[in-house]
Amino acid sequence: MSETERGREGERTDRTTADGQFGRYGGQYVPEALMPALEELEDAYERYVLENEDGFMDEFERRIRDFGGRPTPLGRADRLSERYDSEIYLKREDLVHGGAHKLNNALGQVLLAKYMGKERVIAETGAGQHGTATAMAAAHLDMPCEVYMGRTDVNRQRPNVFRMRINGAEVNPVDIGRGTLKEAISETMREWSRTVERTHYVIGSVVGPHPFPAMVRDFQAVISEEAREQAREQLGSLPDAVVSCAGGGSNTMGAFHHFVPDDSVDLYAVEAGGSSLEVDEEAGVAPNSATLSTGDEGVLHGARTTLLQDSDGQIMESHSVSAGLDYSGVGPELAHLVDEGRVTPVTVDDTAALEAFHRLSTDEGIIPALETSHAFGYLHEAFESGEDLGETVVVNVSGRGDKDLETVIEETEKRGLESAPDMSVFETGGGI
Amino acid sequence: MSETERGREGERTDRTTADGQFGRYGGQYVPEALMPALEELEDAYERYVLENEDGFMDEFERRIRDFGGRPTPLGRADRLSERYDSEIYLKREDLVHGGAHKLNNALGQVLLAKYMGKERVIAETGAGQHGTATAMAAAHLDMPCEVYMGRTDVNRQRPNVFRMRINGAEVNPVDIGRGTLKEAISETMREWSRTVERTHYVIGSVVGPHPFPAMVRDFQAVISEEAREQAREQLGSLPDAVVSCAGGGSNTMGAFHHFVPDDSVDLYAVEAGGSSLEVDEEAGVAPNSATLSTGDEGVLHGARTTLLQDSDGQIMESHSVSAGLDYSGVGPELAHLVDEGRVTPVTVDDTAALEAFHRLSTDEGIIPALETSHAFGYLHEAFESGEDLGETVVVNVSGRGDKDLETVIEETEKRGLESAPDMSVFETGGGI
Amino acid sequence: MGDDAADAAGASGSADSRTGTDATATAFDGGGAFVPYLAVGDPTYEASLEYVEALARGGADLIELGLPFSEPMAEGPTIQGAVTRALEAGMTPDRFFEFVSELDVDVPLVCMTYYNLIYQYGSSDGPRSFVERAAEVGLEGFVVPDLPAEEAGPLREACDEFGLDLIFIVAPTTRGDRLERMMERVSGYVYVQARLGATGAREDVSDQTGESLERLADWEIPKAVGFGIKTGEHAERIAAAGADGIIVGSALVDIVAEGHEDDRPVEETADRLAEKARELKAGATRGAESLPEPEHP
Amino acid sequence: MGDDAADAAGASGSADSRTGTDATATAFDGGGAFVPYLAVGDPTYEASLEYVEALARGGADLIELGLPFSEPMAEGPTIQGAVTRALEAGMTPDRFFEFVSELDVDVPLVCMTYYNLIYQYGSSDGPRSFVERAAEVGLEGFVVPDLPAEEAGPLREACDEFGLDLIFIVAPTTRGDRLERMMERVSGYVYVQARLGATGAREDVSDQTGESLERLADWEIPKAVGFGIKTGEHAERIAAAGADGIIVGSALVDIVAEGHEDDRPVEETADRLAEKARELKAGATRGAESLPEPEHP
Ligand SMILES: Cc1ncc(COP(=O)(O)O)c(C=O)c1O
Ligand SMILES: Cc1ncc(COP(=O)(O)O)c(C=O)c1O
């Protein structure tokens, strides 16, 4: 297919603004019933977020500071810096209320729903991080909240389900298909179609139909806004590289956004390489979620973007040890930045991510989320293989790993990783 | 016993400085083997902490900012403010790295150990909060770390044991007695006696022999230093009251310290009332840990202070639904401030604390630690009973409640609390 | 893409240049048209052939054939179930086209599927290959639930090229500008969504239907109402409210699902489908007959 | 507290004004004194009486009687076990004093306990009541592991009032100023801690012992070495290094614990204790005899 055809295909013929398009990605591929809601949301996005009508952005900034704990630090990682003979700095989104960058977006959207006069919010969640962030934001802003979560995920992410319930949110298990994130998103879209007039759908990443990718990016862009300023203050210059893990791409876009115009700053989006980059077309399964690296263009959950799909266009299941990266799509803007060569997509497999988890924990005293561990896995592989990421590298610590302890221990043991601490303290039962 | 006798008893005859005394409390009641270490520590405390020798305090402040996430916000609690018709502000120590104020102290002490040339640190832990904070700080500063923890606690606080191990700390189960905090402290003291020359003991609260109570307070005082400044900036005045939960008293002393000279600010230390304020002398058990409210003077773990003890002077076991408040002693300075009438000790029972846990979670989107919930329990009881705490009240949110989810759910169910969300989402098993 | 292309795309969907097969529109000529939906390949290719033929026997005026997509974002649980069964039994776009070729019915056939399958088909991205192949096997048009008019330019273009219809769904929330835009683009018939929510058979027939039909009163294209029609009586009421046809999916898929779960012979399920079709067709016809003579131009 | 009181307290412990019973110091007169420790009430009040008497029979020159405290901060696991058993069997300060009254031995007895029990005893806070009662039942002094010289003012004062000894522990880490301070306060004998760590029987006898004894060479008070002495041979080596006596706790408590766990008759355990006492006393005596004649003033 020629560039011209592609260009044509991506173009939209009668949109009043071009905001929804990132090169040939983006758009609004949703049931007609949702289109009016998207138009309403576009309008609200433009007025409140872009133009700060009624002081919306002022209130958002105040709340994400006082409730969310911003700004988060940019701190030097002493031992990693020594290890790699380079200045490694950590942008600490793990310190945001709730333990991940997810609240930046959830708080922004729930507040927007309030300004729009919506009566309730709904959200999908996979591992439960976005669901808990939305539940917290909704409790904080006194907004009824329902979260859709696949039954399998409900059962394997109990602590996050507890947290949502304790924050007063309803959790609706989705008993369809495999009962994981993909089904939860589809079900939330359906629920939104049913109740669209009074409900806002708080989507969890820079995915979905316009204006979500742009709006979620804008709420997350506070990460790079702060980091850029902090780097200039603390280092006297911009970093040479920013490294971030990419599932849907929200922490990535947040960490990259304000650096995109800085040509000297290399941007690395680290995807989950899972157990292998090969796919099993027959089974419809990709043993990874390396969408940017191995996927191709298609339409999923409301947007044209890069996807994991078979040659027919059926969506493939992704697989990663990290639930938050386990998604078959990726945000359209990130897909575009990769096409443009502005962002370099790389992958890190499950084992390397686990090793990086342990490395950061013992070297720096920060237990990262398994998602985040992928970013550190790449940092390691790059420096170990002699690839020079530059003199100063900022890694975005998208979240903390408390939620992942059981998984990490199990997977570490299964693999017999040397870098892991042994847990035999539990085995020698004392006589109490 | 007359005041004079008490004054005499508390006096020390040949100390060069009076720092170790808070009225008649404090001192250094430790085995002789530890005395030289305490003298060395006093010296280091004076030079590094009080006089900022070698820029120690500068480094501490930088690290507690960039690694620990300080300053933490002082944020308005909108719905609580409405509920109580008073301005309620939250000092957000739950946002400190690790999820509690504990890191302020742990980071300070591990850094001090480094400046002192120590080769390793040891710490006791009960619920695991101080142990995890110390393990994080030790990993961050590249210091070997061993944590002593009662066997019972090891078994019931698995996630925190995982976190310590993952941060590279050794966890040594203590197979003595009931295997809880009291035994862990005694065992850590013993281990310190054995290896005192190369080891620093990172004690977890404002307890123990001088200089620990003063030093831990100084590391925690950053809480009130920030809060006082933030209150002046955000409210234009000092608050009328500061409310904080008290176990050993470190978050309390931290939250109170800079307000102590402000006579207009009332200070409330909220203790765990457990299931009852009565005690069972026969069994040696107090079904609470209301040391300030019900205990009396004695000597425990190196200091003269207020204790839960029977009439013989045997230490009584304390009991609270919140592991972090479950201690039979309290810091000597806090005991003194209560005697002086500067701090008002109050108690909140298990059930009221659980209710407050749910209230803060659903009203404000902040899941507090069970320890912290006691502070909110008092806030509620005071306002509901018509006692006016003032126009602006600061509550110290000493930690987050992720660690407490299982306990809360169990205890909530057991009590059939109405305020709690029901968890039946887990019961209707889907056909996956 | 230059302005020319954009103009061309824009023009292609305008009311006057609307192309497409006559067949689809003609299916509604008598009024009270019955438009059933089934997921192709549910529960197997063979059974599915029988079922579709049974619907034709039962009086279908036009059939919507679902090509299963792994993420059926607009469907309720019933059709999701059908889609899952069909995919598990190996349905693919190529098998779907084979199915259409093999099918022995003489009513117009429309393909209902999601845009990604259309977009990915063939050697180059873009909808053209899919439309070309659809035309070859004799399909008359498309319903694409995740393709609003705004994103439909390229598919509209390909449909024009091959003379196929592009049917849009009008939702209860669709108003004003959006209706205009859609009217310019639609061909064949318009799918009127009876109420908010995903597909699925419901007991009641929504009040929103009458309102929706009113908003479309001046559209010169047949209006078929779907979402939640379950019985002949429903069908009658909808047709009596002015719909040119009724679209029924979940109520039929339920019969397929039951047959599958209870392990009934294919013949038996086919007979039940035909019978249900007759009930619905009869209802629609009664409804249509109760209407005053249409004032055709 | 005024300066007077402070002076008084300071003075009371000075080398020349040191008071106390003669009994304790005298126990070391022959050199190679054997000082056993047992936790009173372990495992029962009655058995404990037999055990202490057995130690006296075995040649004890002075006995340290442990009054169990719930937080034995300075003890190793062996003595912690003893303390726990004794507390569970109902030992209290009053029962302890009763025990001392009832005990039929004629060597000096010293009470080893933690400061909180001393402080809380009686109707008023402060150590005086405890010391008064101790004097009444015939105790000769105190070893208080959590009471360093700096905190010992009030207890020293009460001891002076009732003529009892206050024994301090000198640790391997105790040096310079601290030694001076202690020398001014100590009476009866000084407890030389053989090495760092909590109490507990060990296989080796630490090199630190000789060094410690050297640091105390000019103290005019008997030096008893404890921590880790387990056999007659250990005892001999320690005494030969210049100790005036050896203190043995864990090795004896081990025998009590074994007797309890194996459910042996009290008599049998008492005999084993007496035998162990004889072994230790003999070793200490041999060690003392190997020394050059002391240059007493
Ligand atoms: C900590 C953390 N990092 C990263 C991600 C991936 O999402 P995104 O790519 O949108 O940042 C998640 C998703 O749950 C997450 O929890
Ligand atoms: C969150 C939290 N708050 C309070 C406490 C009580 O300790 P302190 O009284 O020293 O602040 C603890 C102890 O573990 C804690 O974890």
Side-chain angles (χ1 to χ4, degrees):
Chain A
M1 177 179 196
S2 76
E3 265 309 303
T4 333
E5 275 174 304
R6 291 199 145 174
R8 181 132 54 99
E9 173 62 10
E11 194 75 17
R12 301 157 55 106
T13 49
D14 49 9
R15 294 288 310 283
T16 46
T17 72
D19 294 10
Q21 296 301 118
F22 304 100
R24 65 176 192 275
Y25 302 113
Q28 297 179 315
Y29 297 81
V30 296
E32 175 57 29
L34 292 180
M35 286 302 290
L38 291 180
E39 288 185 346
E40 187 189 345
L41 187 61
E42 268 180 80
D43 177 60
Y45 166 55
E46 278 162 26
R47 281 163 43 213
Y48 296 123
V49 180
L50 300 183
E51 290 157 26
N52 192 26
E53 193 174 305
D54 298 343
F56 172 87
M57 283 305 285
D58 302 331
E59 180 168 354
F60 171 65
E61 278 159 21
R62 176 173 65 74
R63 289 193 186 271
I64 197 65
R65 184 190 68 210
D66 292 349
F67 174 65
R70 305 211 68 91
T72 60
L74 181 72
R76 185 172 185 275
D78 293 348
R79 292 180 70 195
L80 291 187
S81 297
E82 203 179 303
R83 191 189 270 275
Y84 303 132
D85 194 19
S86 185
E87 293 294 297
I88 310 297
Y89 278 79
L90 310 180
K91 180 60 178 164
R92 297 291 303 281
E93 294 302 295
D94 61 308
L95 293 175
V96 175
H97 183 48
H101 67 292
K102 295 281 175 191
L103 185 72
N104 301 327
N105 168 44
L107 186 68
Q109 285 198 52
V110 178
L111 190 64
L112 191 66
K114 242 189 139 117
Y115 274 64
M116 290 170 74
K118 297 290 176 185
E119 292 164 23
R120 87 196 244 271
V121 296
I122 56 175
E124 90 290 348
T125 200
Q129 291 303 103
H130 173 57
T132 55
T134 306
M136 286 188 301
H140 176 66
L141 294 166
D142 200 9
M143 179 71 101
C145 172
E146 291 184 43
V147 178
Y148 290 80
M149 188 170 186
R151 172 69 71 182
T152 308
D153 287 337
V154 166
N155 290 340
R156 70 181 172 186
Q157 307 284 345
R158 281 172 68 90
N160 275 341
V161 176
F162 286 151
R163 288 168 74 192
M164 289 184 266
R165 296 290 296 122
I166 281 171
N167 279 141
E170 295 294 328
V171 177
N172 299 318
V174 177
D175 282 319
I176 294 161
R178 280 180 65 236
T180 60
L181 178 61
K182 222 167 39 127
E183 289 83 9
I185 296 185
S186 295
E187 185 61 25
T188 318
M189 287 268 182
R190 274 177 217 116
E191 169 60 19
W192 198 26
S193 302
R194 280 190 285 268
T195 58
V196 62
E197 282 148 320
R198 58 189 191 91
T199 303
H200 175 68
Y201 174 13
V202 182
I203 212 165
S205 190
V206 287
V207 300
H210 177 69
F212 284 109
M215 184 173 72
V216 175
R217 174 206 65 210
D218 287 349
F219 288 134
Q220 293 290 3
V222 63
I223 302 174
S224 48
E225 190 182 339
E226 288 173 8
R228 197 169 179 281
E229 188 56 33
Q230 288 164 324
R232 292 171 72 109
E233 258 175 39
Q234 295 175 37
L235 320 177
S237 69
L238 295 180
D240 296 315
V242 179
V243 180
S244 192
C245 69
S250 68
N251 87 85
T252 327
M253 284 311 308
F256 291 175
H257 186 65
H258 288 277
F259 290 110
V260 169
D262 301 318
D263 287 335
S264 69
V265 183
D266 295 333
L267 306 174
Y268 296 90
V270 187
E271 296 192 291
S275 55
S276 158
L277 292 183
E278 307 293 305
V279 301
D280 182 348
E281 270 240 1
E282 194 78 357
V285 167
N288 59 66
S289 102
T291 316
L292 293 166
S293 307
T294 71
D296 57 7
E297 193 185 347
V299 172
L300 175 65
H301 290 144
R304 178 187 303 270
T305 185
T306 299
L307 302 181
L308 295 179
Q309 54 189 329
D310 67 15
S311 56
D312 286 339
Q314 303 289 6
I315 308 307
M316 280 199 288
E317 271 168 25
S318 60
H319 279 280
S320 166
V321 69
S322 136
L325 300 183
D326 206 347
Y327 179 57
S328 314
V330 68
E333 184 174 13
L334 189 53
H336 174 61
L337 290 173
V338 166
D339 275 12
E340 296 235 300
R342 182 65 192 92
V343 168
T344 308
V346 294
T347 66
V348 158
D349 70 19
D350 288 345
T351 300
L354 283 162
E355 280 169 346
F357 175 99
H358 291 298
R359 194 179 305 114
L360 193 71
S361 299
T362 52
D363 273 14
E364 299 291 342
I366 297 170
I367 301 179
L370 266 177
E371 292 79 12
T372 312
S373 302
H374 286 75
F376 288 96
Y378 178 66
L379 188 76
H380 189 74
E381 290 184 357
F383 279 110
E384 292 291 302
S385 69
E387 190 182 326
D388 188 6
L389 295 182
E391 277 167 31
T392 53
V393 179
V394 169
V395 184
N396 190 39
V397 186
S398 60
R400 62 170 135 93
D402 303 51
K403 67 185 179 64
D404 294 319
L405 297 179
E406 298 279 347
T407 307
V408 165
I409 285 158
E410 204 174 286
E411 295 285 337
T412 298
E413 201 145 293
K414 212 164 76 188
R415 283 155 223 262
L417 295 189
E418 277 182 24
S419 48
D422 92 299
M423 292 288 165
S424 52
V425 60
F426 294 113
E427 281 152 31
T428 57
I432 317 158
Chain B
M1 176 177 197
S2 75
E3 264 309 302
T4 333
E5 275 175 302
R6 290 199 146 173
R8 181 130 55 100
E9 173 62 11
E11 194 77 16
R12 300 156 56 103
T13 47
D14 48 9
R15 294 288 311 285
T16 44
T17 71
D19 295 9
Q21 295 300 120
F22 304 100
R24 67 176 189 275
Y25 302 114
Q28 297 180 315
Y29 296 81
V30 296
E32 174 58 28
L34 292 180
M35 287 300 292
L38 291 181
E39 289 186 346
E40 187 189 345
L41 187 61
E42 268 180 80
D43 177 60
Y45 166 55
E46 278 162 25
R47 281 164 44 214
Y48 296 123
V49 179
L50 300 183
E51 289 157 25
N52 192 27
E53 192 173 306
D54 299 343
F56 172 87
M57 282 304 284
D58 302 332
E59 180 168 354
F60 170 65
E61 278 160 19
R62 177 173 64 74
R63 289 193 187 271
I64 198 63
R65 184 189 68 210
D66 292 349
F67 175 65
R70 303 210 71 91
T72 59
L74 181 73
R76 185 173 185 275
D78 292 348
R79 293 180 70 195
L80 291 188
S81 297
E82 203 179 302
R83 193 188 268 275
Y84 304 131
D85 194 19
S86 184
E87 293 293 297
I88 310 297
Y89 279 80
L90 309 180
K91 180 60 179 165
R92 298 291 303 282
E93 294 302 296
D94 61 308
L95 293 175
V96 175
H97 183 47
H101 67 292
K102 294 281 174 190
L103 185 72
N104 301 327
N105 168 44
L107 186 68
Q109 286 198 52
V110 178
L111 190 64
L112 191 66
K114 241 188 140 115
Y115 274 63
M116 290 170 74
K118 297 290 177 187
E119 291 164 25
R120 87 196 244 273
V121 295
I122 56 175
E124 90 290 347
T125 200
Q129 290 303 103
H130 173 58
T132 55
T134 306
M136 287 188 302
H140 177 65
L141 293 167
D142 200 9
M143 180 71 101
C145 172
E146 290 184 44
V147 178
Y148 290 81
M149 188 170 186
R151 172 69 71 183
T152 308
D153 288 336
V154 166
N155 290 341
R156 70 182 172 183
Q157 306 285 345
R158 281 173 67 89
N160 275 341
V161 176
F162 285 152
R163 289 168 75 193
M164 290 185 265
R165 296 289 296 123
I166 280 170
N167 279 142
E170 295 295 328
V171 176
N172 299 318
V174 177
D175 282 320
I176 294 161
R178 280 180 65 235
T180 60
L181 178 61
K182 222 166 40 124
E183 289 83 9
I185 295 183
S186 295
E187 184 60 26
T188 317
M189 287 270 183
R190 275 176 216 115
E191 169 59 19
W192 197 26
S193 304
R194 281 189 285 269
T195 58
V196 62
E197 281 148 320
R198 58 190 191 89
T199 302
H200 175 69
Y201 174 14
V202 182
I203 212 165
S205 191
V206 287
V207 299
H210 178 69
F212 284 110
M215 184 173 71
V216 174
R217 174 207 64 210
D218 287 349
F219 288 134
Q220 294 290 3
V222 62
I223 302 174
S224 49
E225 190 181 340
E226 287 173 9
R228 196 170 181 282
E229 187 57 32
Q230 288 165 324
R232 292 171 73 108
E233 258 173 39
Q234 295 174 37
L235 320 176
S237 68
L238 296 180
D240 297 314
V242 179
V243 180
S244 193
C245 69
S250 68
N251 87 86
T252 327
M253 284 310 309
F256 290 175
H257 185 66
H258 288 276
F259 290 110
V260 169
D262 301 318
D263 287 336
S264 70
V265 183
D266 295 334
L267 305 175
Y268 296 90
V270 188
E271 295 192 291
S275 55
S276 159
L277 291 184
E278 307 293 305
V279 301
D280 182 348
E281 269 239 1
E282 193 78 356
V285 167
N288 60 65
S289 100
T291 316
L292 293 166
S293 307
T294 72
D296 58 7
E297 193 185 349
V299 172
L300 175 65
H301 290 144
R304 178 188 301 271
T305 185
T306 299
L307 303 181
L308 295 179
Q309 55 190 328
D310 66 14
S311 57
D312 286 338
Q314 303 288 7
I315 308 308
M316 280 200 287
E317 271 168 26
S318 60
H319 278 281
S320 165
V321 69
S322 136
L325 299 184
D326 206 346
Y327 179 56
S328 315
V330 68
E333 184 174 13
L334 190 53
H336 173 62
L337 290 172
V338 166
D339 274 12
E340 296 238 297
R342 182 66 192 92
V343 168
T344 309
V346 293
T347 66
V348 158
D349 69 18
D350 288 344
T351 300
L354 283 162
E355 280 169 345
F357 175 99
H358 291 298
R359 195 178 304 113
L360 193 72
S361 300
T362 52
D363 273 14
E364 298 292 341
I366 297 170
I367 301 179
L370 267 176
E371 292 79 12
T372 312
S373 302
H374 286 75
F376 288 96
Y378 178 66
L379 188 77
H380 189 74
E381 289 183 358
F383 278 111
E384 292 292 302
S385 70
E387 189 182 329
D388 188 6
L389 295 181
E391 277 167 32
T392 53
V393 180
V394 169
V395 184
N396 191 38
V397 186
S398 60
R400 62 169 134 95
D402 303 52
K403 67 184 180 61
D404 294 319
L405 297 179
E406 298 279 347
T407 307
V408 165
I409 285 158
E410 205 173 284
E411 294 286 336
T412 299
E413 201 145 293
K414 212 162 76 185
R415 284 155 221 262
L417 294 189
E418 276 182 24
S419 48
D422 92 300
M423 292 288 166
S424 53
V425 59
F426 295 113
E427 281 152 30
T428 56
I432 316 158
Chain C
M1 174 177 186
D3 281 347
D4 294 353
D7 287 348
S12 72
S14 75
D16 13 37
S17 77
R18 217 156 51 208
T19 61
T21 71
D22 284 336
T24 46
T26 321
F28 295 87
D29 272 357
F34 165 52
V35 181
Y37 162 96
L38 278 186
V40 167
D42 169 29
T44 64
Y45 183 99
E46 297 304 331
S48 191
L49 269 179
E50 303 277 333
Y51 297 160
V52 173
E53 287 168 8
L55 293 174
R57 272 203 313 280
D61 296 295
L62 183 152
I63 302 176
E64 290 183 357
L65 296 173
L67 163 57
F69 178 53
S70 53
E71 304 308 309
M73 193 163 77
E75 322 300 349
T78 308
I79 293 180
Q80 284 176 50
V83 163
T84 306
R85 286 190 297 273
L87 286 173
E88 278 172 3
M91 185 46 54
T92 65
D94 278 326
R95 291 280 283 161
F96 175 82
F97 289 129
E98 210 180 306
F99 180 99
V100 177
S101 309
E102 199 175 335
L103 201 58
D104 185 19
V105 296
D106 64 358
V107 293
L109 300 172
V110 159
C111 165
M112 180 147 178
T113 195
Y114 286 75
Y115 192 55
N116 200 48
L117 295 188
I118 296 176
Y119 183 71
Q120 299 302 334
Y121 190 78
S123 50
S124 70
D125 286 350
R128 194 177 174 282
S129 308
F130 191 91
V131 176
E132 183 174 16
R133 181 85 182 104
E136 274 170 29
V137 297
L139 284 161
E140 310 284 354
F142 304 99
V143 181
V144 189
D146 66 343
L147 195 72
E150 286 78 354
E151 304 289 358
L155 180 59
R156 177 72 267 177
E157 229 175 298
C159 284
D160 286 346
E161 183 183 344
F162 294 100
L164 263 64
D165 284 319
L166 182 53
I167 293 107
F168 288 118
I169 299 172
V170 171
T173 47
T174 312
R175 289 206 170 72
D177 280 3
R178 300 202 40 65
L179 272 179
E180 299 288 304
R181 218 136 54 206
M182 229 183 255
M183 193 171 75
E184 286 166 16
R185 295 287 176 89
V186 74
S187 70
Y189 59 98
V190 61
Y191 186 143
V192 181
Q193 181 179 332
R195 51 174 168 62
L196 284 180
T199 59
R202 305 282 176 97
E203 295 303 326
D204 66 313
V205 170
S206 171
D207 287 347
Q208 295 178 322
T209 307
E211 222 182 89
S212 292
L213 287 172
E214 223 156 85
R215 267 183 287 140
L216 304 180
D218 58 347
W219 288 34
E220 295 168 17
I221 194 167
K223 293 140 208 106
V225 173
F227 272 60
I229 301 174
K230 210 175 167 175
T231 63
E233 205 202 315
H234 288 168
E236 181 178 351
R237 290 219 302 274
I238 298 280
D244 300 302
I246 53 145
I247 304 175
V248 181
S250 299
L252 302 169
V253 169
D254 274 341
I255 294 172
V256 175
E258 247 180 70
H260 178 64
E261 275 152 32
D262 301 353
D263 227 355
R264 303 186 188 196
V266 169
E267 302 313 311
E268 189 186 324
T269 298
D271 285 348
R272 295 180 71 209
L273 282 168
E275 191 183 326
K276 188 74 184 175
R278 277 185 290 269
E279 172 196 337
L280 290 159
K281 174 63 191 171
T285 305
R286 278 196 309 278
E289 281 164 357
S290 73
L291 282 176
E293 199 58 23
E295 302 160 31
H296 267 301
Chain D
M1 174 175 184
D3 281 346
D4 293 354
D7 286 348
S12 71
S14 75
D16 14 35
S17 75
R18 216 156 51 209
T19 61
T21 72
D22 283 337
T24 44
T26 321
F28 296 88
D29 273 357
F34 166 51
V35 181
Y37 162 96
L38 277 186
V40 167
D42 170 29
T44 64
Y45 183 100
E46 297 304 331
S48 193
L49 270 177
E50 303 276 333
Y51 296 161
V52 174
E53 287 169 8
L55 293 174
R57 273 203 312 280
D61 297 294
L62 181 153
I63 302 177
E64 291 183 357
L65 296 173
L67 163 57
F69 178 53
S70 53
E71 305 308 308
M73 194 164 76
E75 322 300 349
T78 307
I79 293 180
Q80 284 176 52
V83 162
T84 305
R85 285 190 298 272
L87 286 172
E88 279 172 4
M91 185 46 54
T92 66
D94 278 326
R95 291 278 285 158
F96 175 83
F97 290 128
E98 208 181 308
F99 180 98
V100 177
S101 310
E102 197 175 337
L103 203 58
D104 183 19
V105 296
D106 64 358
V107 295
L109 301 171
V110 157
C111 166
M112 179 148 180
T113 195
Y114 286 75
Y115 192 55
N116 200 48
L117 295 188
I118 296 176
Y119 183 70
Q120 300 301 335
Y121 190 78
S123 52
S124 70
D125 287 350
R128 194 177 174 282
S129 308
F130 190 91
V131 176
E132 183 175 16
R133 181 86 181 103
E136 274 171 29
V137 297
L139 284 161
E140 310 284 355
F142 303 98
V143 181
V144 189
D146 66 343
L147 195 72
E150 286 79 355
E151 305 289 358
L155 181 58
R156 177 73 267 178
E157 232 174 296
C159 284
D160 286 346
E161 182 181 344
F162 294 100
L164 265 63
D165 284 318
L166 182 54
I167 293 109
F168 288 118
I169 298 172
V170 171
T173 46
T174 312
R175 291 208 169 71
D177 280 2
R178 300 200 44 63
L179 272 179
E180 299 290 304
R181 217 137 53 207
M182 230 182 257
M183 195 170 73
E184 285 167 16
R185 296 287 176 89
V186 75
S187 70
Y189 59 98
V190 61
Y191 185 143
V192 180
Q193 181 179 332
R195 50 173 169 60
L196 285 180
T199 59
R202 305 282 175 98
E203 295 303 326
D204 65 313
V205 171
S206 171
D207 288 347
Q208 296 178 320
T209 307
E211 223 182 88
S212 293
L213 287 171
E214 224 155 86
R215 268 183 288 141
L216 305 180
D218 59 347
W219 287 32
E220 294 168 18
I221 194 167
K223 295 145 205 98
V225 173
F227 273 59
I229 301 175
K230 210 173 166 174
T231 63
E233 204 201 315
H234 289 169
E236 179 177 353
R237 290 220 302 274
I238 298 281
D244 300 302
I246 54 147
I247 304 174
V248 181
S250 299
L252 302 168
V253 168
D254 274 341
I255 294 172
V256 174
E258 247 179 70
H260 178 64
E261 276 153 32
D262 300 354
D263 227 354
R264 304 189 186 192
V266 169
E267 302 313 311
E268 188 184 325
T269 297
D271 286 348
R272 295 182 68 209
L273 282 169
E275 191 182 325
K276 187 75 186 175
R278 278 187 288 270
E279 172 195 337
L280 290 159
K281 174 64 191 169
T285 306
R286 279 198 308 279
E289 281 164 356
S290 73
L291 281 177
E293 199 57 23
E295 303 160 31
H296 266 300

